[in-house]
Short mmCIF file of all heavy atoms in Angstrom, two decimals:
data_model
loop_
_atom_site.label_atom_id
_atom_site.label_comp_id
_atom_site.label_asym_id
_atom_site.label_seq_id
_atom_site.Cartn_x
_atom_site.Cartn_y
_atom_site.Cartn_z
N GLY A 20 -50.49 11.31 -31.46
CA GLY A 20 -49.12 11.09 -31.90
C GLY A 20 -48.99 10.11 -33.04
O GLY A 20 -47.98 10.10 -33.74
N ASP A 21 -49.98 9.24 -33.24
CA ASP A 21 -49.94 8.32 -34.38
C ASP A 21 -50.30 9.09 -35.64
O ASP A 21 -51.24 9.87 -35.65
CB ASP A 21 -50.95 7.18 -34.20
CG ASP A 21 -50.47 6.10 -33.25
OD1 ASP A 21 -49.39 6.28 -32.65
OD2 ASP A 21 -51.17 5.08 -33.12
N ARG A 22 -49.54 8.85 -36.70
CA ARG A 22 -49.83 9.48 -37.98
C ARG A 22 -50.07 8.41 -39.02
O ARG A 22 -49.34 7.42 -39.08
CB ARG A 22 -48.69 10.38 -38.43
CG ARG A 22 -48.62 11.67 -37.62
CD ARG A 22 -47.63 12.67 -38.18
NE ARG A 22 -47.82 12.96 -39.57
CZ ARG A 22 -46.83 13.15 -40.44
NH1 ARG A 22 -45.59 13.10 -40.05
NH2 ARG A 22 -47.08 13.42 -41.70
N ALA A 23 -51.09 8.63 -39.81
CA ALA A 23 -51.42 7.67 -40.86
C ALA A 23 -52.15 8.39 -41.98
O ALA A 23 -52.68 9.49 -41.79
CB ALA A 23 -52.29 6.55 -40.29
N GLU A 24 -52.14 7.76 -43.13
CA GLU A 24 -52.92 8.25 -44.26
C GLU A 24 -53.95 7.18 -44.60
O GLU A 24 -53.79 6.01 -44.25
CB GLU A 24 -52.01 8.52 -45.47
CG GLU A 24 -51.04 9.65 -45.22
CD GLU A 24 -50.12 9.91 -46.38
OE1 GLU A 24 -49.46 8.96 -46.85
OE2 GLU A 24 -50.05 11.06 -46.81
N LEU A 25 -54.98 7.59 -45.29
CA LEU A 25 -56.08 6.72 -45.66
C LEU A 25 -56.24 6.78 -47.17
O LEU A 25 -56.52 7.85 -47.72
CB LEU A 25 -57.36 7.18 -44.95
CG LEU A 25 -58.62 6.37 -45.15
CD1 LEU A 25 -58.49 5.00 -44.48
CD2 LEU A 25 -59.80 7.13 -44.55
N ILE A 26 -56.02 5.67 -47.84
CA ILE A 26 -56.13 5.63 -49.29
C ILE A 26 -57.06 4.49 -49.67
O ILE A 26 -56.78 3.33 -49.38
CB ILE A 26 -54.74 5.48 -49.96
CG1 ILE A 26 -53.85 6.66 -49.56
CG2 ILE A 26 -54.89 5.39 -51.47
CD1 ILE A 26 -52.41 6.56 -50.03
N ASP A 27 -58.17 4.87 -50.28
CA ASP A 27 -59.19 3.90 -50.68
C ASP A 27 -59.59 2.98 -49.52
O ASP A 27 -59.76 1.77 -49.69
CB ASP A 27 -58.73 3.08 -51.88
CG ASP A 27 -58.57 3.95 -53.12
OD1 ASP A 27 -59.30 4.95 -53.26
OD2 ASP A 27 -57.70 3.64 -53.95
N GLY A 28 -59.73 3.57 -48.34
CA GLY A 28 -60.21 2.84 -47.18
C GLY A 28 -59.17 2.00 -46.46
O GLY A 28 -59.49 1.31 -45.51
N GLN A 29 -57.91 2.09 -46.91
CA GLN A 29 -56.84 1.35 -46.25
C GLN A 29 -55.93 2.32 -45.50
O GLN A 29 -55.57 3.37 -46.04
CB GLN A 29 -56.01 0.55 -47.27
CG GLN A 29 -56.82 -0.50 -47.99
CD GLN A 29 -57.48 -1.48 -47.04
OE1 GLN A 29 -56.82 -2.14 -46.26
NE2 GLN A 29 -58.81 -1.54 -47.09
N ILE A 30 -55.57 1.97 -44.27
CA ILE A 30 -54.73 2.83 -43.45
C ILE A 30 -53.26 2.50 -43.72
O ILE A 30 -52.87 1.33 -43.74
CB ILE A 30 -55.05 2.67 -41.95
CG1 ILE A 30 -56.43 3.26 -41.66
CG2 ILE A 30 -53.98 3.35 -41.10
CD1 ILE A 30 -56.86 3.18 -40.21
N TYR A 31 -52.47 3.55 -43.93
CA TYR A 31 -51.02 3.44 -44.10
C TYR A 31 -50.38 4.26 -42.99
O TYR A 31 -50.45 5.49 -43.01
CB TYR A 31 -50.58 3.97 -45.47
CG TYR A 31 -51.12 3.17 -46.62
CD1 TYR A 31 -52.37 3.44 -47.17
CD2 TYR A 31 -50.38 2.12 -47.16
CE1 TYR A 31 -52.87 2.69 -48.23
CE2 TYR A 31 -50.86 1.37 -48.23
CZ TYR A 31 -52.11 1.67 -48.76
OH TYR A 31 -52.60 0.93 -49.80
N TYR A 32 -49.77 3.57 -42.03
CA TYR A 32 -49.12 4.26 -40.91
C TYR A 32 -47.82 4.87 -41.39
O TYR A 32 -47.15 4.33 -42.27
CB TYR A 32 -48.89 3.30 -39.75
CG TYR A 32 -50.18 2.92 -39.05
CD1 TYR A 32 -50.88 1.78 -39.42
CD2 TYR A 32 -50.71 3.75 -38.06
CE1 TYR A 32 -52.08 1.46 -38.81
CE2 TYR A 32 -51.91 3.41 -37.45
CZ TYR A 32 -52.59 2.28 -37.82
OH TYR A 32 -53.77 1.96 -37.23
N MET A 33 -47.47 6.01 -40.78
CA MET A 33 -46.25 6.72 -41.18
C MET A 33 -45.25 6.74 -40.04
O MET A 33 -45.60 7.07 -38.90
CB MET A 33 -46.60 8.15 -41.58
CG MET A 33 -47.48 8.22 -42.81
SD MET A 33 -47.75 9.89 -43.40
CE MET A 33 -48.92 10.50 -42.21
N ALA A 34 -44.02 6.38 -40.36
CA ALA A 34 -42.93 6.45 -39.40
C ALA A 34 -42.49 7.92 -39.26
O ALA A 34 -42.71 8.72 -40.18
CB ALA A 34 -41.76 5.60 -39.87
N PRO A 35 -41.87 8.27 -38.14
CA PRO A 35 -41.36 9.64 -38.02
C PRO A 35 -40.33 9.92 -39.12
O PRO A 35 -39.55 9.04 -39.49
CB PRO A 35 -40.69 9.66 -36.65
CG PRO A 35 -41.29 8.51 -35.91
CD PRO A 35 -41.63 7.48 -36.95
N PRO A 36 -40.33 11.14 -39.66
CA PRO A 36 -39.37 11.46 -40.72
C PRO A 36 -37.94 11.56 -40.18
O PRO A 36 -37.72 11.90 -39.02
CB PRO A 36 -39.85 12.82 -41.23
CG PRO A 36 -40.66 13.39 -40.12
CD PRO A 36 -41.22 12.25 -39.34
N SER A 37 -36.99 11.29 -41.08
CA SER A 37 -35.57 11.40 -40.72
C SER A 37 -35.14 12.87 -40.71
O SER A 37 -35.86 13.74 -41.20
CB SER A 37 -34.72 10.62 -41.72
OG SER A 37 -34.73 11.30 -42.98
N ARG A 38 -33.95 13.10 -40.20
CA ARG A 38 -33.39 14.46 -40.20
C ARG A 38 -33.23 14.98 -41.63
O ARG A 38 -33.59 16.12 -41.93
CB ARG A 38 -32.03 14.46 -39.49
CG ARG A 38 -31.36 15.84 -39.49
CD ARG A 38 -29.93 15.77 -38.97
NE ARG A 38 -29.05 14.98 -39.80
CZ ARG A 38 -28.48 15.42 -40.93
NH1 ARG A 38 -28.69 16.65 -41.36
NH2 ARG A 38 -27.69 14.63 -41.63
N ILE A 39 -32.73 14.13 -42.54
CA ILE A 39 -32.54 14.55 -43.94
C ILE A 39 -33.89 14.90 -44.56
O ILE A 39 -34.02 15.91 -45.26
CB ILE A 39 -31.83 13.43 -44.75
CG1 ILE A 39 -30.44 13.16 -44.19
CG2 ILE A 39 -31.80 13.77 -46.22
CD1 ILE A 39 -29.47 14.31 -44.28
N HIS A 40 -34.88 14.07 -44.33
CA HIS A 40 -36.23 14.33 -44.82
C HIS A 40 -36.69 15.71 -44.36
O HIS A 40 -37.20 16.51 -45.16
CB HIS A 40 -37.16 13.23 -44.29
CG HIS A 40 -38.59 13.36 -44.72
ND1 HIS A 40 -39.44 14.32 -44.20
CD2 HIS A 40 -39.31 12.64 -45.60
CE1 HIS A 40 -40.63 14.17 -44.75
NE2 HIS A 40 -40.58 13.17 -45.61
N GLN A 41 -36.51 16.01 -43.10
CA GLN A 41 -36.97 17.28 -42.54
C GLN A 41 -36.17 18.46 -43.11
O GLN A 41 -36.74 19.52 -43.35
CB GLN A 41 -36.90 17.26 -41.02
CG GLN A 41 -37.93 16.34 -40.38
CD GLN A 41 -39.35 16.72 -40.73
OE1 GLN A 41 -39.88 16.31 -41.77
NE2 GLN A 41 -39.97 17.50 -39.88
N GLU A 42 -34.89 18.27 -43.32
CA GLU A 42 -34.08 19.35 -43.90
C GLU A 42 -34.55 19.68 -45.31
O GLU A 42 -34.67 20.85 -45.68
CB GLU A 42 -32.59 18.97 -43.91
CG GLU A 42 -31.96 19.10 -42.55
CD GLU A 42 -30.43 19.02 -42.60
OE1 GLU A 42 -29.83 19.49 -43.59
OE2 GLU A 42 -29.86 18.49 -41.64
N ILE A 43 -34.82 18.64 -46.10
CA ILE A 43 -35.30 18.85 -47.46
C ILE A 43 -36.65 19.55 -47.44
O ILE A 43 -36.89 20.51 -48.18
CB ILE A 43 -35.35 17.53 -48.24
CG1 ILE A 43 -33.94 16.96 -48.44
CG2 ILE A 43 -36.05 17.72 -49.59
CD1 ILE A 43 -33.91 15.53 -48.96
#
Side-chain angles (χ1 to χ4, degrees):
D21 282 5
R22 287 189 52 218
E24 294 179 308
L25 183 68
I26 300 173
D27 295 329
Q29 298 303 302
I30 291 180
Y31 295 87
Y32 289 93
M33 295 186 285
S37 70
R38 178 189 64 81
I39 298 297
H40 180 287
Q41 291 300 86
E42 283 192 34
I43 294 169

